[in-house]
């Protein structure tokens, strides 16, 4: 048992206490993670009703399955894994609107901070990623960054699996070309 | 402000004992302590005030209502919280489920608002972190807190607590006192105990009960003052003392009529209480 | 971590104006950085977050109904009442298992013996099962929360009666199931009316004494009657006799009328939302 007050506990320890039935631990996890989760889900699905439902189901699932977190990787990533899969399930039951693809011109409008962050998170890949068209980026985001299978990505984006595969091939080809 | 509870000349007899022999007491807002040895009638009086028992004689008025009348009794119960001496819990119930069960008995509906109220009282006694745990799996001190949470449901105007700190270790007792003190803000709390420290720490009013009769009603400092000039220290137990005991540092604290030259010490609540009850015991024996 | 999200970037991410790769890098960063999560949180819709939390609390806290409660709600009992009824001690698994054990012995004995003795054994024991179950419905020594329950506004007689009805239904159904194994056709159900009569007497007695005492007196009376009959080996005959059945029926109905129609108790049936 740690001596730290609950508010300062790291996520993994907090999750362990939630597994033990600590309701106030769940509330703290919610305060830390629900905001970004809601925003991130909103970036993949424009329907706020479904997004709210998914956030709710995710944290109820966190409460019920906190013991199954294996300690590997960030708790945030584990939570995202639960959340994005629930979103895919929700979209399967009833397809909803996807957010409007931004018409921002790739590369030209990156601010200084954005450029640096891209570099920090993705290195050389960052710039190349940015130059992908919105549809290719969406596919890369779904499969590579969100960790979905081809089928799940197809459901999320509302396109056939074949299209997911071809777009992935095009994205890979473009990135390879850029980085060569 | 009129007192919350007015008890006049209440008597109660069980098979072979006269539990209460004419008790007159008033309880108002704040924490009132009911002090007395085992068998003094504290539990009986509390059960009468909690409308679990009816008196044989005398009258009781709670919140201006008469518990002998069925309709008044139900109205009193809506503003009443009771923590019995041995609180019981259903097997297998979690903290939340138990408090929710009592909330149903207190007729708090609909379910959503009831659950919010359950969460509120569980948070008030600081048990949110274990609200999903089985009550029977918790320590004695925590179980008492669960029972206290249930008593706080519906924000009652009268709280009746029967020996709530019995069997708790010092740390648990301190925590419980804090909760009771907070609970006493804005409502009348009547708590029975045979620990004088509880009364000294918490109560603005104290009633001493002994063999079914009220020996004292007043403030804790008045009770302590009763022993003024009757408490002194000596190397050994003074044979003239009515009551004496060995203190931690080896000297003896004596209560009674001090000999000439003895240096009196400031009396505590306990001194006042022991002297009062001891005198009564002597009278009875004589 | 040397680089963090700036407030502008956080805002851009939150309102969706930073799409594509920058948004992905924000998301990647947030997976690992608690401070920036806090920064982004201030841009998130707090109203929606609060109402979602209220729903989560409700789902996580709300007690899950037991099988007894689900059965009761399906029969039209309100969920709150169902909670109160299902908490009856004699509806808990341990009691039910105990009663089933008794019934299995009696039924096994009856099934095993080919003559009347088996049936007699069963008919001796079976009527007591509902009575014992009813004794475990509510009472000072039986109910763990007795004292607190007495101090609440919920009418205790209503609680007692509702619990008795629930317990009676379950125990009668249980005993009826075991009657099937006795292989004596409808004669194996001869215990039903005498049993209901005894429960009726118990309920009438609870107006003057506590439930366990009432049940104990009735069981004692029954034991005396049975001993008297057993010495004359008349048990089965008496039990099946039309007269016994009719008398039992009348007693049961009379007790029910007394219990339901007495004015003091009618107040106990007031409903609340």
């Amino acid at each position: 048992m740690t001596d730290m007050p609950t508010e300062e506990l790291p996520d993994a320890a907090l999750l362990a206490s939630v597994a033990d039935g600590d309701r106030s631990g769940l509330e703290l996890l919610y305060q830390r993670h629900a905001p970004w989760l809601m925003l991130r889900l909103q970036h993949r699905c424009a329907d706020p009703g479904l997004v709210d439902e998914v956030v709710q189901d995710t944290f109820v699932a966190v409460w019920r399955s906190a013991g199954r977190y294996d300690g590997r990787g960030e708790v945030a990533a584990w939570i995202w894994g639960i959340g994005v899969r629930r979103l895919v399930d929700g979209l399967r039951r009833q397809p909803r609107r996807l957010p409007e693809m931004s018409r921002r011109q790739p590369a030209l409008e990156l601010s200084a901070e954005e450029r640096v962050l891209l570099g920090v998170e993705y290195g050389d890949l960052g710039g190349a990623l940015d130059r992908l068209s919105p549809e290719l980026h969406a596919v890369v985001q779904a499969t590579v960054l969100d960790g979905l299978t081809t089928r799940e990505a197809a459901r999320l984006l509302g396109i056939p699996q074949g299209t997911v595969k071809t777009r992935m091939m095009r994205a890979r080809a473009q990135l390879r070309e850029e980085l060569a | 402000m009129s007192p919350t509870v007015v008890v006049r000349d209440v008597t109660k007899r069980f098979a072979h004992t006269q539990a209460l022999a004419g008790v007159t007491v008033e309880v108002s807002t704040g924490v009132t302590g009911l002090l007395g040895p085992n068998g003094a009638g504290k539990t009986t009086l509390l059960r009468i005030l909690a409308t679990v028992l009816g008196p044989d004689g005398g009258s009781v008025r709670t919140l201006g209502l008469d518990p002998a009348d069925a309709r008044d009794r139900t109205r009193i119960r809506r503003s009443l919280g009771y923590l019995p001496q041995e609180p019981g819990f259903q097997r297998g119930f979690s903290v939340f489920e138990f408090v929710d069960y009592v909330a149903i008995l207190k007729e708090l509906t609909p379910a959503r608002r009831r659950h919010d109220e359950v969460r509120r009282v569980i948070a008030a006694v600081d048990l949110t972190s274990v609200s999903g745990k089985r009550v029977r799996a918790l320590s004695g001190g925590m179980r008492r807190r669960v029972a206290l949470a249930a008593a706080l449901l519906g924000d009652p105007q009268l709280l009746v607590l029967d020996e709530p700190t019995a069997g708790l270790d010092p740390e648990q007792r301190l925590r419980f006192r804090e909760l009771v003190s907070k609970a006493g803000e804005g409502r009348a709390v009547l708590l029975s105990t045979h620990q004088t420290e509880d009364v000294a720490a918490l109560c603005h009013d104290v009633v001493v009960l002994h063999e079914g009769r009220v020996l004292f009603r007043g403030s804790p400092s008045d009770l302590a003052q009763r022993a003024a000039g009757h408490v002194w220290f000596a190397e050994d137990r003074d044979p003239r003392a009515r009551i004496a005991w060995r203190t931690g540092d080896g000297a003896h604290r004596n209560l009674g009529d001090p000999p000439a030259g003895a240096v009196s010490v400031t009396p505590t609540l306990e001194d006042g209480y022991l002297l009062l009850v001891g005198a009564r015991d002597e009278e009875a024996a004589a | 971590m040397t680089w963090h999200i700036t407030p502008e970037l956080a805002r851009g991410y939150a309102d969706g104006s930073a799409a594509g790769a920058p948004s992905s890098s924000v998301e990647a960063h947030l997976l690992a950085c608690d401070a920036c999560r806090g920064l982004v949180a201030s841009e998130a819709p707090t109203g929606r977050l609060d109402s979602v939390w209220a729903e989560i609390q409700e789902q996580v806290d709300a007690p899950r109904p037991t099988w007894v409660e689900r059965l009761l709600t399906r029969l039209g009992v309100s969920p709150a009442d169902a909670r109160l009824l299902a908490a009856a001690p004699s509806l808990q698994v341990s009691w039910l298992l105990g009663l089933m054990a008794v019934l299995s012995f009696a039924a096994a004995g009856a099934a095993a013996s080919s003559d009347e003795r088996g049936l007699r054994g069963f008919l001796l024991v079976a009527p007591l099962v509902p009575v014992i179950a009813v004794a475990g419905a509510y009472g000072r020594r039986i109910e763990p929360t007795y004292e607190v329950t007495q101090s609440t506004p919920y009418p205790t007689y209503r609680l007692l009666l509702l619990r008795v009805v629930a317990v009676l239904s379950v125990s009668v159904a249980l005993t009826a199931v075991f009657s099937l194994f006795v292989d004596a056709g409808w004669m194996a159900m001869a215990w039903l009316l005498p049993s209901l009569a005894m429960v009726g007497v118990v309920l009438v007695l609870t107006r003057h004494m506590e439930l366990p005492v009432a049940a104990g007196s009735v069981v004692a009376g029954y034991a005396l009657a049975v001993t008297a009959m057993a010495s004359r080996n008349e048990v089965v005959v008496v039990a099946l006799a039309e007269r016994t059945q009719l008398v039992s029926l009348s007693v049961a109905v009379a007790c029910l009328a007394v219990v339901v129609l007495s004015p003091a108790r009618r107040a106990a049936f007031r409903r609340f939302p």
Side-chain angles (χ1 to χ4, degrees), chain B residues 194-251:
Chain B
H194 44 182
Q195 307 266 7
T196 48
E197 308 90 59
D198 286 344
V199 176
L202 278 176
C203 309
H204 68 74
D205 242 356
V206 61
V207 173
V208 177
L209 211 58
H210 184 54
E211 286 176 356
R213 268 178 242 277
V214 175
L215 292 188
F216 174 87
R217 263 163 61 194
S219 70
S221 48
D222 281 349
L223 182 55
Q225 270 304 107
R226 285 266 186 122
H230 292 280
V231 189
W232 72 100
F233 270 113
E235 278 274 320
D236 300 301
R237 192 187 198 290
D238 192 321
R240 272 160 301 197
R242 276 201 231 137
I243 308 168
W245 64 91
R246 197 169 177 282
T247 60
D249 52 9

Side-chain angles (χ1 to χ4, degrees), chain A residues 158-170:
Chain A
I159 55 181
Q161 277 190 59
T163 315
V164 172
K165 288 197 190 122
T166 44
R167 286 188 189 171
M168 266 314 291
M169 279 188 341
R170 277 167 51 202

Side-chain angles (χ1 to χ4, degrees), chain A residues 55-66 68 78 82 86:
Chain A
V55 173
Q56 182 184 330
D57 288 346
T58 304
F59 279 89
V60 172
V62 165
W63 170 256
R64 300 218 172 113
S65 62
R68 274 187 250 148
W78 182 74
I82 298 176
R86 297 224 167 210

